[in-house]
Amino acid sequence: MMSLAREGSQGGRELHVLAVDDSSVDLAVIARLLRSSKHRVTTVDSGKRALELLDLEPNVNMIITDYWMPEMTGYDLLKKIKESSTLKEIPVVIMSSENVPNRISRCLEEGAEDFLLKPVRPSDVSRVCSRVM
Amino acid sequence: MAATALKEQLNGLVNSMFAEGLLDEQFQQLQMLQDGSNPGFVAEVVTLFCEDSERILADLTKLMDQAVVDYSKVDAYVHQLKGSSSSVGTQNVKLACIQFRQFCEENNQEGCMRALNVVKHEYYHLRSKFETMLQLENRIQAYETKQQN
């Protein structure tokens, strides 16, 4: 189930974004990028924790996840979300530091909303958030 | 004013780091994300990067000390360090990691040992500059807080 974005305090749409990355550096950067655009951000460091959180807190408007994580990749997480009747409508954006065409097409075919190359830019964040809003 | 002099010193240091190739435009992106609502953002990211890097370099040293080197594990760690250095804009560390990965692909032990030393050299050089940078930022912050009170 996908919740509606909330009206932000300055009239814009505020999304609740779940950011998933095993790199604390990348998590801090993506969280700041999203918060500077006035979105609410929850951060977790693994796909497993992301799924645990989504079980408790389904009011997430978008998930942005690193591709390459130990134990559960961003692709595995994407698959699990798209297989879930309660979570499948949540847009999932994948991030990766590597430009691997097969990887990108596999994720998009599995239903990823977008695939961003790291380092992620403010314009990337604006683009994906605008589509979701 | 002391704060102005410190700010000039800080700008001079950061500019020299760009000129030397230690930092690239991604670091400028991080600087642009720092504002009044998040004045410690750059310091936070730099600190996380240094903690991560030192952990990874310690793990890499152990792996390279093994009698039989597991190059896929070494490569995984170097990939991590390359990723975080790219996200912070620490150009020389990133470039050194790219070289290192090439040696990993070739399973070239001597090349990997040399590359590890280069990465360490670049990182520790950068770290000392970052330490000075953060000290200057803290002093500026302390002056500005004192002036507001």
Side-chain angles (χ1 to χ4, degrees):
Chain A
M1 122 180 78
M2 186 171 74
S3 65
L4 296 173
R6 294 194 318 206
E7 193 76 28
S9 57
Q10 294 180 349
R13 293 273 171 196
E14 180 195 272
L15 300 176
H16 178 199
V17 183
L18 175 61
V20 190
D21 203 318
D22 63 315
S23 160
S24 55
V25 170
D26 288 353
L27 214 44
V29 173
I30 192 68
R32 179 71 195 128
L33 278 168
L34 288 161
R35 285 176 183 138
S36 68
S37 299
K38 312 294 181 208
H39 299 300
R40 186 159 74 98
V41 187
T42 300
T43 57
V44 292
D45 62 4
S46 70
K48 183 174 169 222
R49 287 201 212 279
L51 291 171
E52 284 168 2
L53 185 120
L54 288 164
D55 236 355
L56 302 169
E57 161 75 84
N59 296 323
V60 164
N61 305 121
M62 186 173 82
I63 297 163
I64 184 160
T65 176
D66 186 31
Y67 179 90
W68 201 250
M69 296 184 289
E71 293 174 14
M72 188 188 295
T73 65
Y75 176 76
D76 296 331
L77 175 60
L78 166 69
K79 278 190 75 169
K80 288 201 184 288
I81 287 164
K82 294 305 169 189
E83 284 163 7
S84 159
S85 53
T86 49
L87 303 176
K88 65 182 178 183
E89 297 301 325
I90 303 177
V92 180
V93 173
I94 312 277
M95 303 180 284
S96 177
S97 57
E98 293 176 310
N99 188 354
V100 180
N102 284 349
R103 182 183 293 180
I104 298 171
S105 50
R106 211 161 64 113
C107 289
L108 294 174
E109 279 161 21
E110 197 58 44
E113 183 70 24
D114 209 326
F115 193 105
L116 304 178
L117 285 177
K118 287 179 173 181
V120 175
R121 294 296 165 95
S123 55
D124 295 325
V125 169
S126 300
R127 188 178 79 245
V128 298
C129 291
S130 304
R131 275 221 297 274
V132 170
M133 295 188 296
Chain B
M1 286 182 68
T4 309
L6 286 172
K7 282 179 185 174
E8 276 174 12
Q9 216 179 322
L10 176 60
N11 286 340
L13 170 64
V14 175
N15 287 340
S16 75
M17 289 170 78
F18 279 110
E20 212 181 314
L22 294 176
L23 301 175
D24 62 29
E25 58 149 8
Q26 176 61 18
F27 191 79
Q28 284 174 328
Q29 295 285 332
L30 300 188
Q31 289 177 303
M32 280 159 45
L33 287 172
Q34 179 160 296
D35 60 22
S37 69
N38 207 322
F41 174 65
V42 172
E44 180 198 347
V45 174
V46 162
T47 304
L48 286 171
F49 169 72
C50 289
E51 285 169 1
D52 249 11
S53 301
E54 289 179 31
R55 177 185 53 80
I56 290 170
L57 288 173
D59 288 336
L60 279 170
T61 304
K62 280 189 205 146
L63 284 172
M64 290 304 304
D65 270 345
Q66 302 296 311
V68 178
V69 176
D70 184 338
Y71 289 101
S72 65
K73 274 193 183 158
V74 171
D75 184 66
Y77 277 115
V78 181
H79 170 73
Q80 266 187 58
L81 183 55
K82 177 184 155 257
S84 57
S85 61
S86 175
S87 295
V88 178
T90 55
Q91 181 173 255
N92 277 2
V93 174
K94 179 183 81 177
L95 293 174
C97 288
I98 290 171
Q99 276 275 294
F100 196 159
R101 289 195 82 192
Q102 281 173 343
F103 287 122
C104 289
E105 266 179 57
E106 295 162 10
N107 287 6
N108 181 337
Q109 185 165 13
E110 196 185 311
C112 283
M113 281 305 309
R114 277 202 315 268
L116 175 58
N117 286 335
V118 171
V119 172
K120 282 180 175 175
H121 171 80
E122 292 297 344
Y123 168 71
Y124 287 116
H125 179 51
L126 175 71
R127 189 183 75 170
S128 79
K129 303 269 182 171
F130 271 156
E131 281 169 354
T132 307
M133 189 183 89
L134 295 187
Q135 278 164 19
L136 284 168
E137 281 199 358
N138 285 342
R139 286 174 67 189
I140 291 165
Q141 189 78 357
Y143 268 113
E144 288 180 342
T145 306
K146 210 166 141 183
Q147 282 190 323
Q148 279 166 12
N149 295 341

